[in-house]
Amino acid sequence: MTTIDPRVRQLAQRRQDIAHEESSINPAWGDLTEQSQKVLLGEAAEWLRAAVEAGLAPLAGRPTDKHDAVWLDNYGQLWGEYQTSPPSHGDAILRLVWASEQCSSKEELEEEGTEFRLIGWSE
């Protein structure tokens, strides 16, 4: 994570908010000292790295050109990156919808070695 992953700042800012939930005083991110921001960003970067290495969060960058991104929006809707020709550089996405009429047993798939990661909730 040599370049700043935008998720690091999101985590640091949210951690700042959580730390002050019980208090009526919650300084805005911009009002924090540079040192406080650095400490929070450093901690957030370490936690995000741990989450990525544990498989709880995806890498920020595309692992290979063959990988397509899957996005979860703030409404719980799933979106998949759509590779175009010429390349859209990640701008073309399609909403993913439930189309299969046949379901599988999650428990059976897990018993066969499949690992699932919860990435969000869909409406």
Side-chain angles (χ1 to χ4, degrees), residues 40-76:
L40 288 167
L41 289 168
E43 290 174 356
E46 289 174 0
W47 278 107
L48 182 56
R49 177 181 172 195
V52 168
E53 290 180 8
L56 299 173
L59 294 167
R62 184 184 314 280
T64 71
D65 288 344
K66 296 181 190 253
H67 285 81
D68 294 324
V70 177
W71 301 95
L72 179 70
D73 69 20
N74 56 326
Y75 301 107

Side-chain angles (χ1 to χ4, degrees), residues 44-122:
E46 289 174 0
W47 278 107
L48 182 56
R49 177 181 172 195
V52 168
E53 290 180 8
L56 299 173
L59 294 167
R62 184 184 314 280
T64 71
D65 288 344
K66 296 181 190 253
H67 285 81
D68 294 324
V70 177
W71 301 95
L72 179 70
D73 69 20
N74 56 326
Y75 301 107
Q77 303 299 322
L78 294 171
W79 297 82
E81 184 176 40
Y82 183 74
Q83 295 295 332
T84 60
S85 184
S88 67
H89 304 289
D91 186 51
I93 60 175
L94 293 170
R95 179 150 176 252
L96 303 178
V97 296
W98 309 116
S100 177
E101 294 180 10
Q102 177 183 355
C103 68
S104 301
S105 167
K106 182 175 174 271
E107 187 175 314
E108 287 177 12
L109 289 168
E110 288 172 329
E111 288 172 358
E112 294 170 3
T114 302
E115 292 182 20
F116 292 96
R117 291 176 187 88
L118 179 64
I119 61 168
W121 301 97
S122 181

Side-chain angles (χ1 to χ4, degrees), residues 19-52:
H20 293 88
E21 279 180 342
E22 301 292 321
S23 172
S24 60
I25 301 171
N26 184 6
W29 181 258
D31 294 337
L32 296 175
T33 66
E34 186 176 326
Q35 181 61 28
S36 293
Q37 288 182 10
K38 280 185 178 181
V39 168
L40 288 167
L41 289 168
E43 290 174 356
E46 289 174 0
W47 278 107
L48 182 56
R49 177 181 172 195
V52 168

